[in-house]
Amino acid sequence: MNHSIKKEDILAAFEFRHATKEFDPTKKISAEDFDFILETARLSPSSVGLEPWKFVVIQNADLREKLRAVSWGAQGHMPTASHVVLVLARKDASYKSDYFWQQLTGVKQIPAENVKNMMGRYQSFQEEDFKLMESERALFDWASKQTYIALGNMMTSAALIGIDSCPIEGFDRDAVDAILRAEGLLENDQYGISVMAAFGYRVKAPRSKTRREATDVIRWVE
């Protein structure tokens, strides 16, 4: 592993990153750079290694405009961003689902007998520890929480190579799902919209970054 990247360079990327509200529409991210950003999303960790996500890159101007109409938080992003990513979350991340079984035995290549032996633990985790089986929304929200790990990694990796980004939650979730369903992008409602992200290059410099002091948000218990 290459450890040449310096800590100060990583912190500089965090200082550089800001919620870019409008991008320079004349500047496009190269295919190589955006493939890199997407790969950091694909390689992101998730609870139980379920990878309950899909990343849909929307480059079609007409579809962006449809989404813009129901996304109050994306008014400046949809027409100007080089790339817009819709991060979808799976609705069938239950321990009972075929997806759960296939992900662990097929993708992660855990022996089936081992998965069977662990199934009681997965069941109690979802039903009792986190109470994810109380409603479809609870299970979907848990899957959505995993997508935010990938979202953060995409934005950080973009900042590390000088690309701006903005996470977007300002949208009518049902309306976005309806648009995506009509476009055949929810795969028979196996997915739903979790969050959006726009990427590109800033038009103007942002104001200085503001954050609460470390002493306000970090507590050590020794």
Side-chain angles (χ1 to χ4, degrees):
M1 179 180 290
N2 185 353
H3 295 284
S4 62
I5 188 168
K6 298 178 180 178
K7 287 179 283 188
E8 53 264 35
D9 293 332
I10 297 173
L11 289 177
F14 275 84
E15 288 287 349
F16 167 85
R17 195 216 65 78
H18 74 289
T20 306
K21 301 303 181 184
E22 184 178 357
F23 300 92
D24 185 339
T26 68
K27 295 182 178 179
K28 300 300 179 183
I29 301 169
S30 71
E32 179 184 0
D33 283 348
F34 208 72
D35 284 346
F36 161 74
I37 292 169
L38 291 172
E39 186 66 356
T40 65
R42 188 183 72 87
L43 293 175
S44 294
S46 57
S47 184
V48 196
L50 282 185
E51 304 175 54
W53 49 50
K54 182 153 285 191
F55 309 97
V56 181
V57 185
I58 305 296
Q59 299 301 80
N60 180 279
D62 291 338
L63 182 51
R64 282 197 191 185
E65 192 56 34
K66 290 179 183 178
L67 292 167
R68 184 185 184 212
V70 296
S71 303
W72 56 266
Q75 294 302 295
H77 306 93
M78 289 297 178
T80 64
S82 172
H83 291 68
V84 173
V85 180
L86 307 188
V87 186
L88 309 184
R90 290 196 72 102
K91 296 180 178 180
D92 59 346
S94 161
Y95 72 92
K96 301 177 182 178
S97 70
D98 291 339
Y99 176 78
F100 192 102
W101 178 264
Q102 176 58 29
Q103 180 67 17
L104 268 59
T105 60
V107 177
K108 295 180 68 63
Q109 299 182 5
I110 301 174
E113 193 61 33
N114 292 6
V115 175
K116 288 179 182 178
N117 292 337
M118 283 295 293
M119 199 56 75
R121 171 54 59 202
Y122 296 138
Q123 178 178 354
S124 63
F125 164 67
Q126 291 196 337
E127 290 186 349
E128 300 169 19
D129 298 340
F130 273 52
K131 296 180 171 53
L132 303 178
M133 306 303 290
E134 289 186 341
S135 69
E136 292 181 357
R137 182 60 188 265
L139 186 63
F140 176 77
D141 284 349
W142 174 71
S144 292
K145 286 165 65 175
Q146 313 312 312
T147 72
Y148 277 67
I149 301 172
L151 171 69
N153 286 341
M154 281 194 291
M155 293 191 297
T156 299
S157 63
L160 284 165
I161 58 175
I163 292 172
D164 292 298
S165 64
C166 187
I168 303 166
E169 284 188 321
F171 54 84
D172 181 328
R173 194 171 70 91
D174 290 340
V176 170
D177 272 352
I179 291 170
L180 299 182
R181 186 176 296 111
E183 296 287 333
L185 295 173
L186 297 185
E187 301 185 20
N188 295 319
D189 272 352
Q190 292 182 101
Y191 292 91
I193 184 67
S194 175
V195 67
M196 303 178 185
F199 297 86
Y201 296 95
R202 65 189 66 181
V203 172
K204 56 185 178 181
R207 64 185 179 91
S208 299
K209 188 179 290 293
T210 58
R211 289 292 188 275
R212 294 171 64 191
E213 295 295 330
T215 52
D216 290 333
V217 299
I218 300 170
R219 179 175 177 179
W220 288 73
V221 180
E222 298 179 334

